Amino acid sequence: MTRQRPPSSIAVARLAGVSQSAVSRTFTPGGIVSPATRARVLAAAEALGYRPNLLSRSLTTGRSGIVAVAVGGLSNPFHAMALESFASGLQRMGRQVMLVVVADEWALGSAVELLSGYQVDAVLSSLSVNAADVADALTRFAVPIVTMNSSVTTRFVRTVAADDHGAGIAVAKHLHAQGARRFGYIAGRAGTLAQERREAGFRQGLAELGITQCARAQGDHHHGGGCAAVRAMYGAARKTGSATGLDGLFCLNDLTAMGAIDTLRDAFGLRCPEDVLVAGYDNVAASAWPPYRLTTVDVGLDRIAEQAFALMEAAEGEPSEVLVTPQLVLRASTRR
Amino acid sequence: MTRQRPPSSIAVARLAGVSQSAVSRTFTPGGIVSPATRARVLAAAEALGYRPNLLSRSLTTGRSGIVAVAVGGLSNPFHAMALESFASGLQRMGRQVMLVVVADEWALGSAVELLSGYQVDAVLSSLSVNAADVADALTRFAVPIVTMNSSVTTRFVRTVAADDHGAGIAVAKHLHAQGARRFGYIAGRAGTLAQERREAGFRQGLAELGITQCARAQGDHHHGGGCAAVRAMYGAARKTGSATGLDGLFCLNDLTAMGAIDTLRDAFGLRCPEDVLVAGYDNVAASAWPPYRLTTVDVGLDRIAEQAFALMEAAEGEPSEVLVTPQLVLRASTRR
DNA sequence: GCGAATGTTGCATAGGGATGCAGTCCAGCG
DNA sequence: CGCTGGACTGCATCCCTATGCAACATTCGC
């Protein structure tokens, strides 16, 4: 029941009346063959529909040309964008992309275990690695793993991080400059480091402005989480009769911010930016749409991808961490 | 400079004091080994960090376990969702996913050429194949290719199609039932068959209601295209002084519909659904958000994925086309 | 015209693993 | 106790391509 095997270099050689090595050489970049032989081989290959078996090739060369990309759920357009950046960049470099959808950094471990069986040359992950034992486990596979925003790195586990902390500070100052005075942060799942850094930066920025109060609620990285968080934050305030609610909201990401804006309007009659300033993070396509015009932070995925490519090809000695500076994108959601 | 090679089955065999075949059999599902030998092999493998080289394995078995997925740009969340459905399903089946981002069906041809070198077991494509010569070219690679909504199929080019035509009819009748009387369709790029079928269905549905007029403008499959199309449609009407504009709009997809709704409101002061009923297609996550609450069509990606998996494993004799019935999702954008 | 340098070619083998076949060992049975 | 069958095991090959090396042909230089 084994599928019909495609023609091999031997078949081509036989048809062209040359040796198998001649066939191999005509298809190996830099291989030395006379023009006459090359022509005969190519003709025979064409006739048989021959294509070199790349798996076999990588068996001898030791490099598969395959790079694995691990992402954490494509329903979040940010991950989709990250994947697209990685994939199109790698394709341009002539490498193949093996995709793995992964739940968390532990799942990343077992995914890499499997992938290492496919001899992938490197792994790019939009998830971060923050547990030391995970990093250790990953290091054993001896394949370069480039992650985003990891707090732990090793010889093989490298990371390209956006300056989330700095971006958080910038957002705080911007919201304050636009007139916000009572602040809140909508967080993501505990343990997702990038957004924890955003919060820390945000709070530090506020502190530098002499503000120590900052409300907090937890979302889920999606639109619905923003809705629920706003309900929790503002619903409580309403019950206690506190008239003036929060007027400056920073959300761990754009989806959350859009949920927040929608719920502020529909459930509390609060308009953005008139009543509350809202900022997000990621610069997802929808954040520019009219109902939101969301001020947000753009991490520059193409630059990140570039750095990731450099890191995955870096030698073991070189530094395994790169920091990129994200860009504040100002829109109407924070404009008074 | 060739990377340090990982341990081979021979190294494990040496350490365990058994033959290479014993190692192979230990790691081959269904391989016959005594418990004692298996234990010694596993211990040795563990000690060396051995993992079978899956590329080599596929060399002998003739099956790589790799399925290629070709998608056309992940900035459209629909493609991202399709990819996620395919990828997670394949992962569950224990197959690896090789990802290719492709511009159009011709690019699909060269992509498959490359992929066939990697001995992929099948190709799943969210693009459709409508040119006969492309289908022929693809057929030559003798690898099953499952596409979405193709008009041409061959032994190897199969397709799972949603009943776009039927969905178009249903949308027409629904809009009419909700009170719309003057209709318009916002189209996508010419040559993208699925949306052309939606339009045809929509027009047929209108015809069955005795309506032959249907305005038309062209979008670009994204939010901006919906904006531009509405500007074209309503701006022209405004100039000619025609008071009553279109009041029932069907858009090739959700992104377009959301752009349309935004521009109707912001540029023309028309509210949805009070002044214009708008329906989209795809049931993207954002279509459920409060500013839109968009009536749309859900093609049921998980069902499509399932059918695609069946098709990719189908024998040559079996039918190479499957039709799934999409579902109308009613929301406030068409509710009077 | 002859030796040498140059350019090609094929042979043989490696790379990691799967598997048909023949042989080994032991338990169970008569 | 001898024999048969079953359970394993190892040997030898094969899968397909890349490549070092030796053999060969050709042309160049003197």
Side-chain angles (χ1 to χ4, degrees):
Chain A
M1 221 44 196
T2 147
R3 216 173 74 221
Q4 174 77 28
R5 284 194 180 266
S8 71
S9 60
I10 297 185
V12 176
R14 202 154 31 210
L15 180 58
V18 298
S19 73
Q20 177 266 330
S21 357
V23 178
S24 172
R25 283 192 250 264
T26 64
F27 284 97
T28 305
I32 295 176
V33 217
S34 70
T37 313
R38 155 166 277 125
R40 297 177 57 192
V41 169
L42 288 177
E46 170 71 15
L48 295 178
Y50 168 77
R51 311 234 67 229
N53 183 329
L54 267 29
L55 301 185
S56 173
R57 170 177 292 177
S58 63
L59 191 57
T60 53
T61 61
R63 311 191 61 224
S64 65
I66 302 175
V67 172
V69 177
V71 293
L74 298 176
S75 56
N76 186 329
F78 175 74
H79 283 139
M81 286 162 56
L83 175 57
E84 180 157 40
S85 278
F86 285 151
S88 52
L90 289 169
Q91 263 177 255
R92 266 196 304 276
M93 300 166 64
R95 339 256 330 223
Q96 293 314 300
V97 177
M98 196 164 262
L99 175 68
V100 207
V101 178
V102 170
D104 53 37
E105 62 178 293
W106 286 272
L108 184 59
S110 49
V112 173
E113 174 162 15
L114 179 67
L115 292 167
S116 71
Y118 278 99
Q119 315 299 109
V120 300
D121 294 336
V123 179
L124 305 183
S125 164
S126 73
L127 280 76
S128 62
V129 172
N130 302 312
D133 54 340
V134 171
D136 280 350
L138 291 177
T139 304
R140 289 230 181 70
F141 296 116
V143 40
I145 302 176
V146 183
T147 61
M148 284 181 64
N149 300 311
S150 292
S151 58
V152 200
T153 62
T154 69
R155 283 181 305 150
F156 286 118
V157 179
R158 353 241 232 219
T159 199
V160 31
D163 182 8
D164 288 302
H165 192 268
I169 296 179
V171 169
K173 302 209 158 155
H174 170 69
L175 290 181
H176 186 267
Q178 296 294 313
R181 288 300 174 264
R182 308 191 55 183
F183 297 88
Y185 179 78
I186 301 185
R189 287 185 305 278
T192 52
L193 198 69
Q195 61 92 12
E196 287 175 357
R197 285 193 186 134
R198 285 163 210 173
E199 178 173 9
F202 187 60
R203 287 177 187 276
Q204 175 174 335
L206 293 178
E208 290 173 7
L209 294 163
I211 299 167
T212 55
Q213 293 280 334
C214 177
R216 183 178 207 278
Q218 177 148 353
D220 62 356
H221 300 229
H222 288 275
H223 185 274
C227 299
V230 162
R231 253 189 218 101
M233 279 177 155
Y234 287 74
R238 189 160 55 179
K239 268 180 210 149
T240 61
S242 60
T244 52
L246 311 168
D247 62 357
L249 236 44
F250 181 30
C251 306
L252 79 148
N253 70 11
D254 285 350
L255 290 185
T256 306
M258 293 188 272
I261 290 177
D262 284 337
T263 300
L264 283 171
R265 177 182 7 86
D266 295 346
F268 298 96
L270 296 171
R271 302 188 54 196
C272 167
E274 292 82 351
D275 305 310
V276 187
L277 304 182
V278 179
Y281 204 106
D282 285 347
N283 197 17
V284 151
S287 66
W289 295 353
Y292 304 108
R293 300 195 193 284
L294 187 65
T295 288
T296 184
V297 177
D298 189 322
V299 293
L301 276 175
D302 288 336
R303 244 179 331 148
I304 287 189
E306 241 172 71
Q307 300 294 339
F309 299 153
L311 275 181
M312 85 181 180
E313 288 175 339
E316 280 192 41
E318 304 177 39
S320 56
E321 191 165 354
V322 172
L323 195 72
V324 302
T325 306
Q327 195 90 38
L328 200 56
V329 178
L330 300 180
R331 297 210 187 91
S333 75
T334 59
R335 201 174 297 142
R336 276 270 156 78
Chain B
M1 222 45 194
T2 148
R3 218 172 74 220
Q4 173 77 30
R5 284 196 180 264
S8 72
S9 61
I10 296 184
V12 175
R14 201 151 34 207
L15 179 60
V18 299
S19 73
Q20 178 266 332
S21 358
V23 178
S24 172
R25 282 193 250 264
T26 307
F27 285 96
T28 305
I32 295 176
V33 216
S34 72
T37 314
R38 155 167 275 126
R40 295 177 56 193
V41 169
L42 289 178
E46 169 71 16
L48 296 178
Y50 168 77
R51 313 232 67 233
N53 183 328
L54 268 30
L55 301 185
S56 172
R57 169 177 294 176
S58 63
L59 192 58
T60 52
T61 62
R63 310 191 62 227
S64 65
I66 301 176
V67 173
V69 177
V71 294
L74 299 176
S75 56
N76 186 330
F78 175 73
H79 283 140
M81 286 162 57
L83 174 57
E84 180 157 39
S85 277
F86 285 151
S88 52
L90 290 169
Q91 263 177 254
R92 266 195 303 277
M93 299 165 66
R95 339 256 330 223
Q96 292 315 299
V97 176
M98 195 165 264
L99 175 67
V100 207
V101 178
V102 172
D104 53 38
E105 63 177 292
W106 287 271
L108 185 60
S110 48
V112 172
E113 173 161 14
L114 180 67
L115 291 166
S116 72
Y118 279 98
Q119 315 297 113
V120 299
D121 294 336
V123 179
L124 305 184
S125 163
S126 75
L127 280 76
S128 62
V129 172
N130 303 313
D133 54 341
V134 170
D136 280 349
L138 291 176
T139 304
R140 289 229 181 71
F141 297 114
V143 40
I145 301 176
V146 183
T147 61
M148 283 180 65
N149 299 312
S150 292
S151 60
V152 199
T153 63
T154 70
R155 282 181 306 150
F156 286 117
V157 179
R158 351 241 231 220
T159 199
V160 32
D163 182 8
D164 288 303
H165 193 267
I169 297 179
V171 170
K173 302 211 158 154
H174 170 67
L175 291 180
H176 186 267
Q178 295 295 314
R181 288 300 174 264
R182 309 192 54 185
F183 298 89
Y185 178 78
I186 301 184
R189 287 184 304 278
T192 51
L193 198 70
Q195 61 93 11
E196 289 176 356
R197 287 193 185 134
R198 286 164 210 173
E199 177 173 8
F202 187 60
R203 286 177 186 278
Q204 175 174 335
L206 293 178
E208 290 175 5
L209 294 162
I211 299 167
T212 54
Q213 292 281 330
C214 177
R216 184 177 205 277
Q218 177 146 353
D220 63 356
H221 299 231
H222 287 275
H223 184 275
C227 299
V230 162
R231 251 189 220 104
M233 279 177 155
Y234 286 76
R238 190 159 55 177
K239 268 180 212 149
T240 62
S242 60
T244 51
L246 312 169
D247 62 358
L249 236 44
F250 181 30
C251 305
L252 80 146
N253 69 11
D254 286 349
L255 290 184
T256 305
M258 294 187 271
I261 290 178
D262 285 337
T263 300
L264 283 170
R265 177 182 7 87
D266 295 346
F268 299 95
L270 296 172
R271 303 188 53 195
C272 166
E274 291 82 351
D275 304 311
V276 186
L277 304 182
V278 179
Y281 204 107
D282 284 349
N283 197 17
V284 152
S287 66
W289 295 353
Y292 304 108
R293 300 194 192 286
L294 187 64
T295 287
T296 184
V297 178
D298 189 322
V299 293
L301 277 176
D302 287 336
R303 244 179 330 148
I304 287 190
E306 240 172 73
Q307 300 294 339
F309 299 152
L311 276 180
M312 85 181 179
E313 289 175 338
E316 280 192 42
E318 305 177 39
S320 56
E321 190 164 356
V322 172
L323 195 71
V324 303
T325 306
Q327 194 89 39
L328 200 55
V329 178
L330 300 180
R331 297 210 187 90
S333 75
T334 59
R335 201 173 296 141
R336 276 271 156 77

